[in-house]
Amino acid sequence: MLLLGVSLLLLRSIVDGQPGVKQTASSHRVYPFNNGEVILLNSWIKIRESLNINYLHSLDADRLLHNFRINAGLVSNEVPLEGWESPQVGLRGHFTGHYLSACATVIQQYKDTVLRQRIAYMVDELSLCQQHLGGKYLSAFPENDFSTLEKKYGEVWAPYYTYHKIMQGLLDVYTTTGNKTAYQLVLNMGSYVQDRMAKLPEAEIEKILFSAAANPSNEAGGMNEVLENLFAVSKNPAHLKLAAVFHRKWFSQPLANGKDILSGLHSNTHIILVNGFAKRYENTGDVYYRRAAMNFWNMLVYHHSYVNGFSSGPRPVAATPTSRTAEHWGVADHLAATLSGQTGESCVSHNTEKLTATLFGWTAAPKYADAYMNMFYNAILPIQNKEDGRNVYHLPLGSPQKKEFLKENDFRCCNGTGIEAFGRLNENIYFQKDDSLWVNMFIPSQLNWSKRGIQIEQATNFPEKPATRLIVKTQSSKSFVLKLFIPSWAGSKTRLHINGKRVTIPIKPHSYLTISREWKSNDTVELDFLFDISLKTMPDNKQVISLMYGPVLLAFETEKELVLKGTIDEILKGIKKQPGGLKFLLHNGGIKYTLLPLYQVSEESYGVYATLRNEY
């Protein structure tokens, strides 16, 4: 009876959605490699990475530090940055946090001495600012912004949002470069937040943090996530306790219970909270937070997302309006009428991709690998200008649209997440556990599986050429299991070759092809896919369609509203691939359309979703 009572208690806790139930690590748990173990090889994706690194090198450290110095009462004669880093804007300092994170990633990958020296200089200068501000507080905006937030629950622009960016940037510098000064700065900043929160009753905290639901200007960013990340390093229970303050139950409880409350919420405010929930589960094993994160992902991807996996769009009419009406989740499965010029905030795409990778790590489930690949090619890569590396704030999918790349001195949130995303193009290509290696992405890269004494080189021009080749390098024969991802779009005509010989094996889309053997140096594995044009429809209007070629979302070059005539079969049959590269032609309704991957669009006027009319 005692055992039965414990079981019922456990079940009741899960059903009621109460935090506190723990579970041991799942047998499906797999692990990504760190940035220093995976290097991109020469390719068009490597060029995108290089554009980003060049941009990081081009920025001036003293200009990034200007507002911090002024706020600390120190002298700075630098020309201030503009956009959201302007001295008059409440978010000033946020981009510097993103910059620290992005540079830390590049340093870990390439041992970049220029960026290492620059970051060390910036950390020392930020330490000086913190000392002048009393030894704990550190920001580019005045401390009084927090006081205003606590008194008025608004009338100030997101101090915790910016504070989080700075904390996370410094923590990333420490975990990747070992800079102990950066770590001390983070510890001091965490202590400052702890002091402030300790003075506030729970009712006041709830008003401060719940206000972000109605007023995204008060968003707390990823304070819960960075404090969980800090605990993972410090193992200080005080950091775990402080993180719990920002894990608001009004949001986590419905998610844990499987209730979709996303409609009307500011997208990036809340998806960052979910990334924090995920880290909470990893730190504590509390299945409440695991359930909240996984349920949220299912709601988001299957009921609130467009064809490329991003999700932010116009705020539902019934919701309370704000100035940023295009950064919200709408009514579930109602997307066809939301194709404004401001859909697809880049920050949301970046944070969705992060969550997707995390959930794959928990489960090794193909659905997460499939969604990650879709977002990589069709939501992340398209935000960058392939000529100069500038990023967009929004990525509209209607027609006719143009990508509005941020100006050179316009430092907004999506500029910050953009430099982080393009500093991490090498992430989540490979995963590992024991003697098994998962290959999730087909990107020219070199993996140093140091624990196993194995190197894998992946040679491919994917997706322009629908194939990839892996070469094993090892000093002696090694037994390991190779798991090759077979995406949802891959058909039965996919071919496998080992050391040049065809291997006949059933190919199942949305699965892993498992090869277990003793590998010798220079053994090769080749996968050849057959891409087809496929058509995707909106959930609420089957006449609103988009086209994909294998994993690639296609965009129409058009300066007019995109309306196609004829049946679906007629349209699909009318699309002709052109020699060399991924370019297609479609003659329809007396108009000749050129189609190309959305990630190749720069200055062209384009459209992704088209309205289908069956008349001629």
Side-chain angles (χ1 to χ4, degrees), residues 248-292:
R248 305 314 294 173
K249 193 174 179 181
W250 73 265
F251 185 50
S252 65
Q253 185 87 60
L255 299 182
N257 291 343
K259 183 179 180 181
D260 187 341
I261 61 165
L262 304 188
S263 180
L265 294 180
H266 185 257
S267 306
N268 199 52
T269 296
H270 296 89
I271 191 169
I272 296 179
L273 287 175
V274 179
N275 281 323
F277 298 161
K279 191 64 181 178
R280 184 72 171 193
Y281 165 68
E282 292 182 352
N283 281 338
T284 67
D286 191 335
V287 295
Y288 170 88
Y289 291 100
R290 175 188 174 101
R291 216 166 48 251

Side-chain angles (χ1 to χ4, degrees), residues 284-304:
T284 67
D286 191 335
V287 295
Y288 170 88
Y289 291 100
R290 175 188 174 101
R291 216 166 48 251
M294 297 184 80
N295 287 346
F296 169 85
W297 190 91
N298 287 331
M299 296 168 194
L300 184 73
V301 171
Y302 298 128
H303 301 286
H304 293 272

Side-chain angles (χ1 to χ4, degrees), residues 296-334:
F296 169 85
W297 190 91
N298 287 331
M299 296 168 194
L300 184 73
V301 171
Y302 298 128
H303 301 286
H304 293 272
S305 293
Y306 299 88
V307 64
N308 61 346
F310 72 47
S311 60
S312 65
R315 194 179 187 115
V317 175
T320 302
T322 72
S323 59
R324 290 185 283 165
T325 57
E327 299 180 5
H328 298 77
W329 292 310
V331 178
D333 298 315
H334 286 72

Side-chain angles (χ1 to χ4, degrees), residues 95-152:
F95 182 83
T96 298
H98 285 296
Y99 184 78
L100 292 172
S101 292
C103 289
T105 301
V106 174
I107 293 167
Q108 187 180 35
Q109 284 180 263
Y110 297 112
K111 316 303 180 188
D112 191 311
T113 55
V114 172
L115 291 182
R116 179 182 285 274
Q117 291 172 1
R118 181 179 299 174
I119 293 305
Y121 166 73
M122 292 179 66
V123 168
D124 287 343
E125 292 300 304
L126 289 171
S127 179
L128 184 61
C129 291
Q130 190 177 68
Q131 293 170 33
H132 276 259
L133 289 166
K136 290 186 177 181
Y137 182 73
L138 176 62
S139 189
F141 58 82
E143 188 176 356
N144 189 57
D145 282 9
F146 283 110
S147 300
T148 301
L149 178 64
E150 292 167 2
K151 292 176 182 177
K152 300 183 178 180

